[in-house]
Amino acid sequence: MAYRQGNGARNSGARTSSFNRGRSGGSRKGPMKKFIHPSKFINKATPKAEEVPYESKHKFADFPFGSQLHHNISKKGYDTPSSIQDQAIPHIIEGKDVIGLANTGTGKTAAFLLPIIERQTGISLKPSVLIIAPTRELAQQIDEEFRIFSQGLGLYSALIVGGVPADRQIRELKRRPNFIIGTPGRLKDMMNRRHINLQNINTLVLDEADRMLDMGFLPDIRAILSETPRDRQTLFFSATITPEISVLFNTFSRDAVTISVRTAETSEHVEQNVIEARDKTHKVELLTDLLGQKAYDKVLVFGETKFGVQRLSDYLDNSGIPSVAIHGNKNQSQRARALKQFKDGRVRVMVATDVAARGLDIPNVSHVINFDTPQTYEDYVHRIGRTGRGGASGCAHTFVEASSRR
Ligand code: AMP
């Protein structure tokens, strides 16, 4: 399989035109692509040593949790709460509404799960907790953490996400789980089919609200939220706050405490540069060259469309660079398998669309390569935030086609 265009390239016409169709084919929801000046993709990384680590006021042992929950937290290896956990848990345990401005990697999942689990022990009207996340992967990660933290507490969950058959989910819902964790589309579908009744919900979590709005889920979210009782506890999490999000939060929460743990843009600590390419064929050559270097040991490559991402991953595989792809055309188990292979280090290259990669916790990415430029600068910051996490330094390259420069 070749990406060649022009002289001597077999099949080039068909491939190029189908590639281009994929790019402009409108498979992505949302606004038109905005022009971002390439200078915004260049940055000399500032060293991380300048960051002052957050000094936690509590230890997990200080929180008023039952002994089994404390045991589960220690077993997971958590000792000191992260900033969002330290600040949010005391409010959530008191039953207050919370707006958490936090991105992935801050420990926000445990920040809401732990106090909710504590508060649900002994509540018999079910399901009592609804957690909504933008992507299947994120919902699954939340469910996995829930299972670890709720061990031995007699609390159960149902994971209600799209891309997998509904039968098993319907069976799980019939068993009346305490927690429903899911994505907006499938949740709405299950509500319409009367498999979900939200009248006993006492706690509602909306995770990565900004992403959900970006993905066009606002009508579904409004429909779902309006079916829950008014006197519930509401917890919203979002990495950014826009006027639209403020309206949503104000409509659906009461006297909320706002906690912000957003640090300076992660991009400051990421070495960023632009690599100029003549055209798409050249981009593929450049990518293959980079991936051949030893330092590129855990690389996340971003493409614009589902189709383009799959093609690029297939091409790399055929060129002797094993890769996995995640995008919306893959079903849930394919995505989960791909993610696990990349996380475990069994393949060192993952090619992804923005939407599929959202909210995923992928540690220690050595390089982010923007094979296609992102739609917005915010997407860019999200993309490159995958590298340079924790103490590690990160590196991001953005391919800019000569024709796209202005
Ligand atoms: P999250 O932002 O919830 O996706 O969490 C990011 C990562 O940090 C996950 O791998 C968590 O398991 C981990 N994590 C969260 N809280 C703590 C903690 N207090 N101590 C150690 N690791 C944590």
Side-chain angles (χ1 to χ4, degrees):
M1 184 164 169
Y3 260 87
R4 306 226 164 261
Q5 283 173 306
N7 294 348
R10 280 194 295 141
N11 298 330
S12 63
R15 289 220 168 88
T16 307
S17 61
S18 58
F19 193 103
N20 288 336
R21 236 192 344 266
R23 275 171 64 87
S24 57
S27 63
R28 190 189 194 278
K29 285 183 194 171
M32 289 283 288
K33 189 163 177 161
K34 292 177 189 149
F35 175 73
I36 308 165
H37 196 275
S39 63
K40 293 197 84 176
F41 302 136
I42 300 170
N43 173 61
K44 190 102 197 92
T46 54
K48 285 220 159 173
E50 290 167 12
E51 270 184 56
V52 182
Y54 176 77
E55 287 230 9
S56 179
K57 290 190 201 70
H58 309 92
K59 287 268 180 199
F60 277 109
D62 300 333
F63 293 131
F65 298 150
S67 58
Q68 180 66 39
L69 182 53
H70 274 305
H71 171 78
N72 295 344
I73 296 168
S74 313
K75 207 166 136 201
K76 172 107 168 130
Y78 291 6
D79 168 49
T80 310
S82 69
S83 170
I84 183 84
Q85 293 162 359
D86 195 40
Q87 297 179 72
I89 289 174
H91 293 295
I92 302 175
I93 203 97
E94 271 183 30
K96 293 223 175 83
D97 284 4
V98 167
I99 295 173
L101 301 178
N103 27 355
T104 316
T106 53
K108 65 183 163 64
T109 318
F112 63 78
L113 277 180
L114 297 174
I116 297 178
I117 289 173
E118 177 60 33
R119 282 173 63 81
Q120 297 309 310
T121 321
I123 286 184
S124 55
L125 290 173
K126 297 180 275 189
S128 54
V129 178
L130 175 64
I131 300 174
I132 314 177
T135 62
R136 300 159 195 180
E137 282 79 10
L138 184 58
Q140 191 164 14
Q141 281 178 17
I142 296 170
D143 189 48
E144 279 165 16
E145 284 208 34
F146 166 78
R147 281 161 198 257
I148 293 169
F149 289 131
S150 63
Q151 252 172 29
L153 290 168
L155 295 172
Y156 300 95
S157 65
L159 180 64
I160 308 299
V161 296
V164 287
D167 314 14
R168 201 173 130 197
Q169 295 176 1
I170 295 169
R171 278 202 302 279
E172 282 186 12
L173 288 167
K174 286 211 167 102
R175 281 195 233 136
R176 294 196 151 253
N178 308 77
F179 283 54
I180 294 181
I181 302 169
T183 46
R186 181 61 67 92
L187 285 171
K188 180 87 188 318
D189 183 39
M190 290 291 197
M191 281 166 59
N192 292 345
R193 294 163 64 185
R194 310 230 175 279
H195 293 299
I196 293 183
N197 178 337
L198 299 177
Q199 69 183 18
N200 293 320
I201 294 295
N202 60 33
T203 311
L204 181 121
V205 180
L206 212 61
D207 197 8
E208 307 217 342
D210 47 351
R211 294 286 158 209
M212 287 201 255
L213 263 52
D214 277 358
M215 290 163 81
F217 284 136
L218 187 58
D220 285 350
I221 289 167
R222 283 185 172 277
I224 297 168
L225 264 56
S226 57
E227 298 266 319
T228 60
R230 275 178 173 270
D231 60 351
R232 54 163 206 267
Q233 180 179 18
T234 308
L235 311 173
F236 286 124
F237 289 85
S238 183
T240 51
I241 191 112
T242 61
E244 209 182 10
I245 288 177
S246 296
V247 170
L248 180 76
F249 288 180
N250 292 335
T251 317
F252 290 101
S253 67
R254 282 183 310 190
D255 303 328
V257 179
T258 301
I259 295 162
S260 175
V261 299
R262 283 182 303 174
T263 47
E265 304 231 296
T266 29
S267 52
E268 285 174 24
H269 310 297
V270 178
E271 186 79 25
Q272 300 156 58
N273 63 22
V274 162
I275 299 182
E276 284 199 43
R278 289 186 299 277
D279 53 25
K280 204 147 295 128
T281 310
H282 190 205
K283 288 207 291 189
V284 177
E285 284 169 13
L286 290 166
L287 179 67
T288 322
D289 284 351
L290 290 174
L291 295 177
Q293 295 174 26
K294 217 165 163 231
Y296 288 68
D297 61 353
K298 197 165 190 183
V299 186
L300 190 49
V301 180
F302 280 98
E304 193 170 344
T305 65
K306 303 169 190 177
F307 178 80
V309 159
Q310 187 59 53
R311 261 177 62 70
L312 188 55
S313 173
D314 290 345
Y315 175 83
L316 292 173
D317 286 344
N318 289 329
S319 314
I321 303 170
S323 69
V324 287
I326 63 164
H327 52 72
N329 280 354
K330 290 213 158 186
N331 69 31
Q332 177 58 17
S333 62
Q334 289 171 320
R335 290 208 223 181
R337 200 178 325 125
L339 183 63
K340 191 159 190 324
Q341 284 181 306
F342 184 62
K343 270 180 139 178
D344 295 352
R346 274 176 286 149
V347 278
R348 57 187 187 88
V349 182
M350 181 159 100
V351 192
T353 56
D354 288 288
V355 171
R358 254 158 214 177
L360 300 183
D361 173 34
I362 309 164
N364 308 325
V365 171
S366 66
H367 294 79
V368 167
I369 298 180
N370 297 308
F371 184 84
D372 293 319
T373 52
Q375 298 278 332
T376 63
Y377 188 68
E378 233 184 312
D379 278 343
Y380 175 74
V381 174
H382 269 276
R383 284 181 179 189
I384 70 166
R386 304 321 171 100
T387 179
R389 288 211 173 158
S393 60
C395 189
H397 305 304
T398 302
F399 289 175
V400 178
E401 277 182 63
S403 60
S404 73
R405 298 202 68 159
R406 285 185 214 174

